[in-house]
Amino acid sequence: MDRAVVTLDVPVRWTDLDLQGHVNNTLVAEYLQEARTALMEAGPNSHMVSGGIVVVGHSVEYLRSIGFGEQPLVAQVGVFGVGASRFNAKYELWQGGELCARATTALCPFDFDAQRPRRLTVDERAWFVEVAGEVPESRPLSVPALEGRGHVHPFQVRWGDVDRYGHVNNVRHFDYVQEARIAATTSADPSMRRDGGQVRWVVARQDVDYVGQISHRMQPYAVHTAIAGLGRTSYTLAAEIVDPLADGQVLARARTVQVCTDASGVKRELPQSTREALGRMLVS
């Protein structure tokens, strides 16, 4: 990283591991949150952590698996792209001297009493500008709007999903999208079950844009999932978290690139039967 403001060790818990024996991709968003909080607490803008700040969007590249063991997970976090009412965090996650993930987060100060974004104060912006580094290279993932299309997966918000601001924490959106992705793909092709077989499905990239707030309630929300692109060894999914009680209002959008590998993690071509099944989910 060209300019890290904070470097810290992030604990990896045994319960962070999935069926494939490494940290589940959704937990990376939690590690980013830990690093981002350390960044905010390190300078004069620590009041923004409790005073109100919201995540506008995440972009995460998964470069290698993160394991559980003696090697600590080291997070480096910095700042870039400071505007009048928005700033961005950038991260690198390292383990055993190898880069495991790169990510960026767009953030906005928020007035929860007035329920609207606010501008950075002069002093808040001055510190972000002082510590800001270069803008990282980015490769935008473009997918079509689903507009009600795709596999529909209802989900229930748990009370524990809600954060100190009274709405669902941003990292939980990764869980909802993952559950919907697994339900959609295994419905299309039962051989895609995540059962530790010879074919593995590895997330290589995931972007999430936060459009509206999700609250705890007894009625379910839903995720619409569809295939937006098919490659030789990978496919791209589009997902939208919607509120069925508000005429399908979109609350978040996600884009995920998933790679087909063998049991050792080496890329392999999509099985023909899987390609045909996913092709039937393709939207333009």
Side-chain angles (χ1 to χ4, degrees):
M1 181 178 290
D2 67 286
R3 191 174 185 182
V5 180
V6 171
T7 299
L8 72 155
D9 289 352
V10 179
V12 175
R13 300 171 180 171
W14 177 255
T15 52
D16 294 350
L17 307 184
D18 61 17
L19 286 175
Q20 300 184 73
H22 54 69
V23 168
N24 187 274
N25 70 89
T26 65
L27 271 296
V28 171
E30 289 199 17
Y31 301 156
L32 302 183
Q33 184 164 253
E34 292 297 313
R36 184 168 64 253
T37 301
L39 166 71
M40 299 300 298
E41 296 285 1
N45 291 341
S46 59
H47 63 279
M48 296 178 68
V49 176
S50 58
I53 190 169
V54 295
V55 172
V56 178
H58 281 307
S59 178
V60 186
E61 288 184 87
Y62 304 88
L63 304 175
R64 68 180 297 271
S65 61
I66 299 171
F68 178 85
E70 296 181 358
Q71 294 283 2
L73 181 66
V74 179
Q76 295 180 325
V77 57
V79 175
F80 73 97
V82 182
S85 59
R86 184 179 294 197
F87 64 99
N88 300 273
K90 57 183 176 180
Y91 322 76
E92 289 182 353
L93 300 181
W94 297 78
Q95 190 175 54
E98 295 193 56
L99 182 60
C100 300
R102 284 190 296 256
T104 61
T105 302
L107 298 130
C108 175
F110 198 85
D111 184 337
F112 280 98
D113 291 332
Q115 282 296 302
R116 63 170 181 259
R118 67 169 179 84
R119 294 171 68 89
L120 292 164
T121 67
V122 172
D123 290 340
E124 288 169 348
R125 189 174 188 278
W127 185 74
F128 286 135
V129 170
E130 178 186 343
V131 300
E134 295 179 3
V135 177
E137 294 184 6
S138 63
R139 297 174 296 144
L141 285 175
S142 178
V143 299
L146 294 185
E147 298 177 334
R149 296 177 293 175
H151 178 274
V152 180
H153 179 70
F155 71 91
Q156 194 78 37
V157 172
R158 298 175 180 174
W159 180 252
D161 295 348
V162 178
D163 63 18
R164 63 192 301 176
Y165 300 143
H167 57 72
V168 169
N169 188 276
N170 69 89
V171 302
R172 297 282 73 85
H173 293 62
F174 284 75
D175 294 335
Y176 305 150
V177 170
Q178 176 175 253
E179 292 295 323
R181 177 172 68 247
I182 293 172
T185 54
T186 55
S187 175
D189 180 4
S191 74
M192 294 183 73
R193 292 188 306 270
R194 277 61 171 178
D195 56 4
Q198 292 303 304
V199 177
R200 305 286 177 90
W201 305 101
V202 179
V203 175
R205 168 81 178 266
Q206 188 150 229
D207 295 356
V208 179
D209 299 329
Y210 301 89
V211 182
Q213 297 178 12
I214 301 176
S215 303
H216 179 266
R217 70 185 192 195
M218 300 310 298
Q219 299 89 348
Y221 294 87
V223 183
H224 291 244
T225 305
I227 302 299
L230 273 172
R232 186 175 61 86
T233 61
S234 65
Y235 59 94
T236 301
L237 299 108
E240 294 178 354
I241 299 177
V242 305
D243 184 354
L245 301 184
D247 295 325
Q249 176 189 1
V250 176
L251 302 173
R253 295 184 175 91
R255 301 164 297 284
T256 306
V257 176
Q258 200 147 35
V259 177
C260 182
T261 77
D262 61 21
S264 64
V266 177
K267 287 183 182 180
R268 54 164 291 176
E269 291 192 7
L270 295 172
Q272 185 59 34
S273 59
T274 298
R275 177 181 296 280
E276 293 173 358
L278 295 180
R280 292 190 286 271
M281 295 176 60
L282 193 64
V283 296
S284 59

